[in-house]
Amino acid sequence: MWTVARSGPGLAQFYVRLLDRFAPRLRRIANRNLELAFPEKTTAERSRIADGVFRSIGRLLFTFSRFPGINAENVGQWIQYEGLENYLDAKKEGRGVLVATGHLGNWELSAFTHAIMTEPMHFVVRPLDNERINTFVEQRRKLTGNHLIGKWDAPRSILRALRKNEAIGILIDQNTSLQEGTFVQFFGAQACATTAFARLAARTGAVVIPGFALWSAELQKYVLRFYQPVLMSGDMQADTQRLHGVLEQIIREYPDQWFWIHRRWKTRPVGAPEIY
């Protein structure tokens, strides 16, 4: 059977070349984001991080294509846990678990394999614009029993799941509008971030833990790492900032695995210059 390791550097380099050729705009966005986040690094250093991002996307696409063949017998060839006790201890609290995650590492594989290794969970998704592709992706995501929650149905479905002490995975790292978010410091710049996650935590008392499937070059597979709980105060601004501080710290450890091709700083404070 094929594993991530056996997909090899050739596939990763193929995706680097493919993305650079057909979507040069993504490279420009990555370069601009990296200039903003790492002004102390050289152009060559930032370019190497951008190359790593495309390799990371290549690994994600490859593993997604192999989802139908991943099962309880072979899942250990693809991924292993670190910090599972943080998740299990959170479940023991009985108030539900909000997993703060993002486009770091392999967010598709994390929920997919967690359902095999421990239990299914819910995660919030935004439907893709192409209906046929969206149907295909959703079918793959649900193969191991996970439950998808559409963005517009999220509040009611999330509250119902948390009341049953279930876990919800929510991506918190994307740009949002002024109407839905607040500005936080993120890599030294003002980034508009959703307050919905912090509001849910305050309303429900659910335990908040960060979780990411991160690629290990040493192990040649992913590590699904659950971090210690993030204490929430009920202050929307402070809690949103705290979450993004944790997220930034983890991204700094694995900079070539985050989705730098997203225009994360697109929404600007009134009067602030455009970044892109």
Side-chain angles (χ1 to χ4, degrees):
M1 95 136 227
W2 279 83
T3 65
V4 184
R6 288 182 62 189
S7 69
L11 178 69
Q13 289 298 332
F14 168 76
Y15 280 110
V16 172
R17 293 193 299 270
L18 189 68
L19 287 167
D20 271 341
R21 178 177 180 182
F22 293 103
R25 175 173 169 271
L26 299 181
R27 170 72 69 164
R28 291 195 296 269
I29 292 172
N31 288 339
R32 183 68 185 100
N33 284 337
L34 289 164
E35 287 173 0
L36 183 70
F38 298 110
E40 75 283 3
K41 293 187 182 296
T42 66
T43 300
E45 288 172 329
R46 292 193 291 262
S47 181
R48 284 194 290 272
I49 293 174
D51 285 345
V53 173
F54 291 146
R55 287 194 294 271
S56 183
I57 294 171
R59 287 191 296 265
L60 183 149
L61 293 173
F62 175 77
T63 56
F64 192 79
S65 74
R66 310 303 293 181
F67 273 14
I70 301 176
N71 53 51
E73 285 70 38
N74 61 33
V75 66
Q77 300 177 43
W78 297 84
I79 196 166
Q80 69 181 48
Y81 276 124
E82 184 177 304
L84 177 60
E85 67 276 6
N86 292 319
Y87 176 86
L88 297 177
D89 288 346
K91 288 296 296 288
K92 290 176 184 176
E93 296 291 324
R95 303 190 304 272
V97 180
L98 287 170
V99 180
T101 190
H103 297 83
L104 176 66
N106 196 326
W107 57 93
E108 295 287 356
L109 186 67
S110 59
F112 185 88
T113 53
H114 180 64
I116 296 173
M117 297 187 292
T118 299
E119 63 181 4
M121 64 186 297
H122 305 259
F123 55 100
V124 178
V125 298
R126 184 188 72 81
L128 301 176
D129 295 333
N130 185 298
E131 186 175 348
R132 293 182 64 182
I133 295 177
N134 184 67
T135 298
F136 172 77
V137 169
E138 287 193 351
Q139 289 173 344
R140 287 288 174 96
R141 287 171 169 169
K142 293 188 291 186
L143 283 174
T144 53
N146 285 320
H147 308 280
L148 308 186
I149 299 177
K151 179 180 178 181
W152 307 117
D153 300 325
R156 183 182 305 173
S157 299
I158 290 173
L159 292 174
R160 184 164 54 245
L162 292 176
R163 281 195 293 267
K164 294 189 288 185
N165 194 32
E166 295 175 343
I168 314 287
I170 302 178
L171 296 157
I172 65 168
D173 60 339
Q174 292 185 303
N175 180 72
T176 192
S177 66
L178 288 171
Q179 292 75 26
E180 296 181 356
T182 187
F183 284 102
V184 296
Q185 283 291 318
F186 190 55
F187 284 93
Q190 291 282 294
C192 196
T194 179
T195 58
F197 191 101
R199 292 181 188 279
L200 282 167
R203 179 174 176 179
T204 64
V207 181
V208 173
I209 56 171
F212 305 92
L214 300 163
W215 174 252
S216 169
E218 179 182 359
L219 298 173
Q220 287 292 289
K221 61 181 176 181
Y222 288 95
V223 176
L224 177 48
R225 183 172 294 128
F226 287 113
Y227 292 80
Q228 292 186 347
V230 178
L231 298 180
M232 310 294 278
S233 67
D235 181 311
M236 301 302 103
Q237 177 70 37
D239 288 344
T240 303
Q241 179 65 72
R242 185 174 296 108
L243 285 167
H244 280 74
V246 173
L247 176 64
E248 178 180 332
Q249 181 180 354
I250 299 170
I251 292 172
R252 285 184 179 276
E253 293 182 45
Y254 304 91
D256 60 348
Q257 296 191 44
W258 191 53
F259 210 57
W260 293 100
I261 60 176
H262 168 62
R263 292 191 294 172
R264 180 61 189 88
W265 290 270
K266 178 182 178 182
T267 301
R268 308 296 297 136
V270 176
E274 296 292 329
I275 285 180
Y276 304 102

